[in-house]
DNA sequence: CATTTTGACGCT
DNA sequence: AGCGTCAA
């Protein structure tokens, strides 16, 4: 049963904060002499001056645009300062921007629920803060309003002839006869003003913001007055705003769906959408998308601000356009190794700073096949369980690539002759890590059961098998393929371009290796399951390879918001109320585990406390077999460390406090707490549950039950429903 | 085949 | 799991 907020009309106060030309600001902070000069950030300077990925406002005045080439920018604006993106391992390295983004997030998260929407964008739910302010120090009680707040833009508030817009804004903010929603909004304006000032003070970055009753409108508003300004959308201005708004300006409608709306329905503005019935839209675009369209045309969006300060995945990629396309396995392996190094490093930071581990490794590539037939692309993506350690990630990634390549070539062994070129060219590679979950916090009942409530120093050896053998085996096993020695390979690297053909490009070998891989797959339960998934590619899915079906499917990818938010709310509260997070984490680790014969467990004595896993001194102190640390820098976690599942509570706290002072993004620890509830209950392996003591089984069953029923949801029909989430009646 | 490099999410 | 869309 949906419960209304006790203390409000249901209106939310949502802000969208967007850093102005963020990369440029980051570079200008690094090099203050660039402030005030026309500046752009560019990557890869060699070809036509590189591509612009961020343009400062001074440069925009000259007509410089994002994604011009550096050369073009120079043409329109000869004085432009072009700053190069940092390069590491031969590729663009965006980590300085990511870190700068984290700085901002940690400030913005202070006043309410905060969702990191991208590297430079954040959503905030300030409802509670706004309500608190309204109750304690409402704007109407203020004698003076901060000068900065008076620079706000209020949509629909016409500046009077005397055009002292600040006086007008002040009057609007402090009206005592205002609608409750407007009063809340006024509070939101003041709060956001303060936040933005704080961001500027602490980071030197300016940002723009939108304040409204939902995410969609806040996002729209934040872009209306830039840079370093904020815009609010009172309820009464929504219709006026949307009516004439070009459909393509709406988030999600900038692509094919927006085009389809224009071309097939003749919809130019959001207002035009109002002419279509919900049924009509559903019929044309599917139920979910249709409902969503009908709603957004009316300014309705129930999408919640998710409490998430950290990314859900990490990726590292590089493109190899035109003549730079990779043509040999050796060159591919080289670049994959570079990408994996970066990825591994970032995974280590994440583990160290946020106590999270990723569970899935995925390889993406794009390729051309220049065989006699078509120059088709669509290189298949492949994923596998993620094993920590740079060398492991590199090994697994390369195996994924080979699996993909085999499938890509279609298993008919086009043998490459001598130095003939391979018939394929790789134009992009990327490696990513996903399914990132917090490592255990160690306070749950399951921990108490196994370790007793007051033991903190326990190691994984004390846990049952299902929990401790957390290091997943790759299907390859470490011995299963004799790869090109990567150091040997690196030595041969003359530059980015020239590559020596290697016998490894030979498809016969490639095939043999895959087979070997399959055969040698260790008799690990998990491994069995996954290797099946990995490698039937060559055998079974060659059929699916040639599928060129015209993919005209129902384009309904926009799940209607009410359904989604409702379900999530059920899940989350079910978990939260029971304090389930740590237990779920145990299951996640069980999911990783191999039951027996895992050679990685031989090194159990090398277990490090997780909080220390990255420090160099610790690596030396603890006796870790040399081959486990082979890959040096990025290799923070010997795989046995993954077994270290239960972290003493006090260690976590300690790590959190120490790193808040030293780390750039101290906010990330906050994240760990708020995120730890978000595990998916449905991912628990039932067979694992069976092995647990009765009391815990019961606890788990209690959580499972409420998450069972999928609901159909009906739209709210009163205006109050328009701006508040999850006020949907469940139809039964 | 020169918009790169991310990242989120929906569909099947 | 893998593919596609969207955004910045």
């Amino acid at each position: 049963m949906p419960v209304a907020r006790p203390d409000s009309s249901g209106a939310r106060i949502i802000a969208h904060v967007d850093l102005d030309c963020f990369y440029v600001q980051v570079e200008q902070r690094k090099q203050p002499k660039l402030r005030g000069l026309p500046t752009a950030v560019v990557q890869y300077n060699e070809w036509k001056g590189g591509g612009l990925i961020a343009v400062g406002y001074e440069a925009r005045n000259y007509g410089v645009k994002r994604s011009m080439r550096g050369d073009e920018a120079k043409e329109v604006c000869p004085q432009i300062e072009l700053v190069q993106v940092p390069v590491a391992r031969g590729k663009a390295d965006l980590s300085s921007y990511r870190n700068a983004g984290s700085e901002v997030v940690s400030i913005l998260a202070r006043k309410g629920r905060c969702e990191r929407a991208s590297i430079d964008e954040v959503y905030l739910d300030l409802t509670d803060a706004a309500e608190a302010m309204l109750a304690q120090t409402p704007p109407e009680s203020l004698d003076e309003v901060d000068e900065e707040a008076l620079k706000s833009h209020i949509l629909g508030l016409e500046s009077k002839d005397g055009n002292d817009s600040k006086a007008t804004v002040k009057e609007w903010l402090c009206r005592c006869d205002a609608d409750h929603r407007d009063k809340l909004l006024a509070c939101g304006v003041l709060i956001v003003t303060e936040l933005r000032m704080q961001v500027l003070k602490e980071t030197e970055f300016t940002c723009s913001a939108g304040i409204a009753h939902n995410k969609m409108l806040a996002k729209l508003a934040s872009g209306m007055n830039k840079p370093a300004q904020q815009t609010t959308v009172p309820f009464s201005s929504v219709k006026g705003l949307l009516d004439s708004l070009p459909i393509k300006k709406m988030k999600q409608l900038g692509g094919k769906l927006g085009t389809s709306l224009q071309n097939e329905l003749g919809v130019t503005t959001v207002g035009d959408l109002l002419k279509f019935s919900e049924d009509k839209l559903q019929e044309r675009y599917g139920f979910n998308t249709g409902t969503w369209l009908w709603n957004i045309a009316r300014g309705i969006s129930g999408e919640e601000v998710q409490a998430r300060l950290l990314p859900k995945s990490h990726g590292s990629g590089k493109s190899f356009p035109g003549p730079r396309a990779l043509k040999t396995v050796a060159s591919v392996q080289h670049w994959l190794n570079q990408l994996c190094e970066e990825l591994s490093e970032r995974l280590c930071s994440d583990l160290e700073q946020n106590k999270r581990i990723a569970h899935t490794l995925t390889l993406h590539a794009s390729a051309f096949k220049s065989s006699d037939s078509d120059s088709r692309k669509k290189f298949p993506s492949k994923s596998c369980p993620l094993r920590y350690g740079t060398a492991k990630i590199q090994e697994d990634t390369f195996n994924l690539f080979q699996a993909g390549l085999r499938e890509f070539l279609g298993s008919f062994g086009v043998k490459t002759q001598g130095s003939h070129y391979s018939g394929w060219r790789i134009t992009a590679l990327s490696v990513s890590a996903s399914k990132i979950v917090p490592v255990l916090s160690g306070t749950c009942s399951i921990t108490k059961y196994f370790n007793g409530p007051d033991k903190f120093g326990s190691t994984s050896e004390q846990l049952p098998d299902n929990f401790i053998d957390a290091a997943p085996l790759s299907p390859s096993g470490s011995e299963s393929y004799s790869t090109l020695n990567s150091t040997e390979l690196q030595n041969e690297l003359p530059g980015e371009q020239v590559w020596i053909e290697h016998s490894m490009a030979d498809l016969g070998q490639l095939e043999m290796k895959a087979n070997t891989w399959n055969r040698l797959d260790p008799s690990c339960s998990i491994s069995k399951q996954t290797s099946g998934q990995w490698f039937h590619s060559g055998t079974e899915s060659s059929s699916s390879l040639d599928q060129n079906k015209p993919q005209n499917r129902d384009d309904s990818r926009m799940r209607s918001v009410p359904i989604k938010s409702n379900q999530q709310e059920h899940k989350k509260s079910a978990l939260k109320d029971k304090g389930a997070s740590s237990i779920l984490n145990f299951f996640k680790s069980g999911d990783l585990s191999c039951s027996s014969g895992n050679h990685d467990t031989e090194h159990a004595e090398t277990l490090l406390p997780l909080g220390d896993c990255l420090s160099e001194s610790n690596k030396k102190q603890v006796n870790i077999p040399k081959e486990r640390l082979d890959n040096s820098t990025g290799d923070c976690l010997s795989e046995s460390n993954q077994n270290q599942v239960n972290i003493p509570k006090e260690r976590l706290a300690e790590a959190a406090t120490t790193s808040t002072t030293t780390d750039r993004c101290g906010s990330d620890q906050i994240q760990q707490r708020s995120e730890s509830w978000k595990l998916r209950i449905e991912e628990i392996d039932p067979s694992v549950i069976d092995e647990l003591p009765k009391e815990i089984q019961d606890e788990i069953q209690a959580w499972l039950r409420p998450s069972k029923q999928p609901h159909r949801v009906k739209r709210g029909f009163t205006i109050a429903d328009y701006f508040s989430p999850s006020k949907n009646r469940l139809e039964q």
Side-chain angles (χ1 to χ4, degrees):
Chain A
M1 175 132 98
V3 179
R5 280 174 190 279
D7 53 340
S8 82
S9 63
R12 296 178 295 160
I13 300 301
I14 308 297
H16 179 258
V17 180
D18 193 337
L19 283 109
D20 307 316
C21 55
F22 187 44
Y23 293 5
V24 168
Q25 285 205 76
V26 172
E27 298 299 340
Q28 286 178 331
R29 185 175 71 170
K30 235 183 288 189
Q31 271 182 278
K33 65 169 187 183
L34 296 178
R35 285 194 189 280
L37 303 179
T39 308
V41 173
V42 72
Q43 63 186 359
Y44 303 132
N45 235 331
E46 332 41 54
W47 195 71
K48 296 193 175 179
L52 303 198
I53 58 175
V55 181
Y57 282 85
E58 294 87 351
R60 291 185 202 194
N61 291 335
Y62 291 87
V64 178
K65 285 173 191 163
R66 191 168 182 271
S67 180
M68 275 166 88
R69 311 303 310 194
D71 293 345
E72 309 170 58
K74 281 281 187 191
E75 283 170 26
V76 247
C77 177
Q79 338 89 287
I80 194 168
E81 302 280 349
L82 296 179
V83 184
Q84 296 199 35
V85 173
V87 171
R89 304 178 187 89
K91 67 177 290 297
D93 177 13
L94 304 184
S95 55
S96 64
Y97 309 128
R98 277 187 208 101
N99 292 335
S102 296
E103 289 179 49
V104 175
V105 165
S106 71
I107 294 165
L108 293 178
R110 289 173 188 165
K111 298 263 171 128
R113 198 183 326 141
C114 176
E115 174 180 337
R116 184 179 175 159
S118 78
I119 198 166
D120 66 347
E121 282 177 84
V122 150
Y123 288 98
L124 302 174
D125 188 328
L126 300 172
T127 309
D128 291 346
E131 257 157 14
M133 178 185 286
L134 194 54
Q136 292 158 26
T137 56
E140 60 191 86
S141 74
L142 299 177
D143 297 330
E144 297 239 6
V145 175
D146 192 299
E147 190 72 5
E148 201 54 39
L150 297 182
K151 297 178 187 167
S152 299
H153 301 261
I154 319 286
L155 239 53
L157 183 67
E158 77 294 352
S159 53
K160 294 173 182 169
D161 305 328
N163 88 358
D164 184 358
S165 70
K166 287 187 180 174
T168 318
V169 169
K170 174 162 187 189
E171 187 191 323
W172 186 88
L173 288 174
C174 300
R175 268 186 319 164
C176 51
D177 61 337
D179 188 281
H180 178 67
R181 285 179 299 236
D182 280 356
K183 288 184 177 179
L184 277 181
L185 226 36
C187 293
V189 167
L190 297 182
I191 294 167
V192 171
T193 302
E194 205 163 310
L195 284 171
R196 290 178 46 239
M197 287 171 46
Q198 205 61 33
V199 167
L200 181 59
K201 181 181 169 193
E202 294 183 33
T203 69
E204 304 176 29
F205 298 139
T206 69
C207 53
S208 301
I211 303 107
H213 289 305
N214 62 49
K215 286 172 82 171
M216 173 196 81
L217 295 171
K219 165 81 178 168
L220 221 42
S222 72
M224 301 188 64
N225 294 284
K226 301 187 84 177
Q229 297 167 77
Q230 62 186 47
T231 307
T232 192
V233 186
F235 176 79
S236 55
S237 315
V238 172
K239 182 163 171 52
L241 166 64
L242 295 182
D243 248 350
S244 60
L245 188 76
I247 197 92
K248 292 239 165 194
K249 299 259 183 183
M250 295 285 302
K251 180 147 171 158
Q252 301 299 316
L253 297 183
K256 298 184 175 180
L257 180 54
T259 304
S260 157
L261 245 19
Q262 271 181 322
N263 296 341
E264 297 173 40
L265 295 187
V267 171
T268 311
T269 68
V270 176
D272 293 341
L273 255 188
L274 292 170
K275 294 185 288 216
F276 298 87
S277 73
E278 186 174 10
D279 287 344
K280 171 83 173 175
L281 293 171
Q282 287 173 344
E283 175 199 331
R284 207 155 189 85
Y285 294 105
F287 180 84
N288 289 330
T289 304
T291 306
W292 180 81
L293 285 169
W294 192 91
N295 280 317
I296 59 121
R298 291 157 180 78
I300 303 171
S301 160
E303 203 184 330
E304 290 250 34
V305 174
Q306 302 297 313
R308 186 174 51 75
L309 307 186
L310 299 175
K312 291 180 161 183
S313 66
H314 299 290
S316 175
K318 178 168 175 58
S319 67
F320 306 94
R324 309 217 293 189
L326 308 181
K327 301 175 191 98
T328 69
V329 170
S331 64
V332 168
Q333 188 174 34
H334 166 75
W335 284 110
L336 287 177
N337 284 342
Q338 307 305 302
L339 300 177
C340 288
E341 266 187 32
E342 183 193 322
L343 181 61
S344 182
E345 193 172 285
R346 284 163 58 193
L347 287 173
C348 280
S349 304
D350 201 343
L351 174 56
E352 187 185 40
Q353 295 171 10
N354 312 312
K355 305 291 179 286
R356 305 192 304 167
I357 47 178
H359 283 203
T360 302
L361 176 70
T362 305
L363 170 86
H364 292 275
S366 19
F368 290 103
K369 188 162 62 172
S370 37
S371 71
D372 14 20
S373 56
D374 28 319
S375 180
R376 239 179 67 244
K377 33 180 179 174
K378 212 180 291 177
F379 193 97
S381 307
K382 294 290 160 189
S383 54
C384 72
L386 181 89
R387 302 183 300 160
Y388 273 71
T390 306
K392 306 250 179 227
I393 292 173
Q394 289 172 331
E395 176 187 333
D396 292 344
T397 295
F398 185 58
N399 286 330
L400 291 176
F401 173 77
Q402 289 184 90
L405 182 59
R406 222 162 63 95
E407 200 174 304
F408 179 72
L409 295 179
S411 79
F412 48 102
V414 188
K415 261 209 161 175
T416 53
Q417 318 267 30
S419 63
H420 241 332
Y421 75 116
S422 334
W424 49 266
R425 276 175 303 164
I426 299 294
T427 56
L429 289 173
S430 86
V431 193
S432 57
S434 57
K435 297 193 184 145
I436 305 179
V437 301
V439 88
L440 312 171
S441 61
T443 55
C444 66
S445 56
I446 207 170
T447 304
K448 290 176 186 152
Y449 174 82
F450 288 122
N451 298 324
D454 48 1
K455 286 188 188 172
F456 292 108
S458 58
T459 68
S460 57
E461 298 134 25
Q462 294 167 307
L463 296 174
D465 280 357
N466 276 342
F467 293 139
I468 64 172
D469 297 335
L473 289 180
S474 89
S476 74
S478 44
E479 72 287 45
S480 65
Y481 80 96
S482 58
T483 181
L484 190 55
N485 175 336
S486 66
T487 57
E488 167 194 353
L489 181 60
Q490 315 268 346
N491 290 339
E492 287 181 336
L493 295 182
E496 290 194 2
Q497 265 321 312
V498 190
W499 289 100
I500 299 169
E501 284 289 337
H502 197 281
S503 63
M504 216 160 99
D506 180 64
L507 267 185
Q509 279 193 29
L510 213 64
E511 220 151 354
M512 186 206 71
K513 265 167 60 172
N515 291 334
T516 310
W517 189 355
N518 259 338
R519 253 199 329 276
L520 293 186
D521 191 44
S523 57
C524 157
S525 55
I526 299 298
S527 233
K528 271 181 203 160
Q529 295 168 4
T530 51
S531 77
Q533 288 162 8
W534 293 16
F535 274 103
H536 51 20
S537 39
T539 57
E540 305 166 24
S541 62
S542 50
S543 56
S544 74
L545 195 154
D546 291 311
Q547 45 143 14
N548 271 337
K549 313 168 210 162
Q551 315 217 13
N552 261 345
R553 54 174 99 85
D554 168 21
D555 205 2
S556 72
R557 64 196 170 301
M558 226 82 65
R559 161 152 290 156
S560 90
V561 169
I563 295 177
K564 175 183 166 188
S565 56
N566 235 2
Q567 286 182 340
Q568 288 181 345
E569 194 146 283
H570 282 308
K571 277 188 218 163
K572 215 190 295 187
S573 57
L575 295 179
K576 195 172 198 165
D577 292 340
K578 297 293 184 171
S581 71
S582 318
I583 296 192
L584 291 184
N585 271 311
F586 268 101
F587 288 112
K588 288 302 290 181
S589 82
D591 177 42
L592 267 178
S593 67
C594 300
S595 51
S596 67
N598 183 345
H599 48 267
D600 291 326
T601 60
E602 296 165 11
H603 303 285
E605 73 281 1
T606 66
L607 284 181
L608 297 174
L610 259 184
D612 295 336
C613 74
L614 259 195
S615 100
E616 271 308 312
S617 57
N618 274 311
K619 277 187 188 172
K620 287 164 192 159
Q621 285 167 12
V622 181
N623 174 29
I624 300 179
K626 200 163 141 204
E627 61 276 14
R628 301 272 168 213
L629 290 177
D630 49 1
N631 263 26
S632 67
T633 56
D635 209 348
C636 70
L637 238 210
S638 79
E639 48 283 79
S640 50
N641 276 338
Q642 291 183 32
N643 302 344
Q644 183 78 23
V645 147
N646 98 29
I647 299 193
K649 193 176 169 186
E650 287 157 358
R651 281 207 153 276
L652 266 187
E654 177 192 336
T657 51
T658 53
S659 61
T660 347
T661 55
T662 55
D663 287 1
R664 283 160 300 204
C665 34
S667 69
D668 294 350
Q669 277 79 28
I670 304 167
Q671 183 68 18
Q672 208 238 322
R673 259 176 214 104
S674 55
E675 288 274 294
S676 59
W677 310 108
K678 300 181 81 175
L679 290 170
R680 310 212 159 191
I681 203 160
E682 64 270 23
E683 287 180 28
I684 296 178
D685 178 353
S687 69
V688 176
I689 298 180
D690 291 337
E691 300 181 30
L692 294 170
K694 184 75 167 68
E695 67 181 281
I696 294 190
Q697 282 190 36
D698 291 342
E699 196 177 338
I700 290 161
Q701 289 311 324
W703 314 332
L704 288 173
R705 229 167 279 122
S707 74
K708 276 298 181 192
Q709 11 66 313
H711 292 299
R712 290 279 160 224
V713 175
K714 214 162 65 178
R715 199 177 60 247
F717 284 100
T718 76
I719 202 74
D721 293 319
Y722 284 5
F723 297 110
S724 60
S726 313
K727 308 197 75 183
N728 315 288
R729 289 134 206 81
L730 308 179
E731 87 186 4
Q732 186 69 15

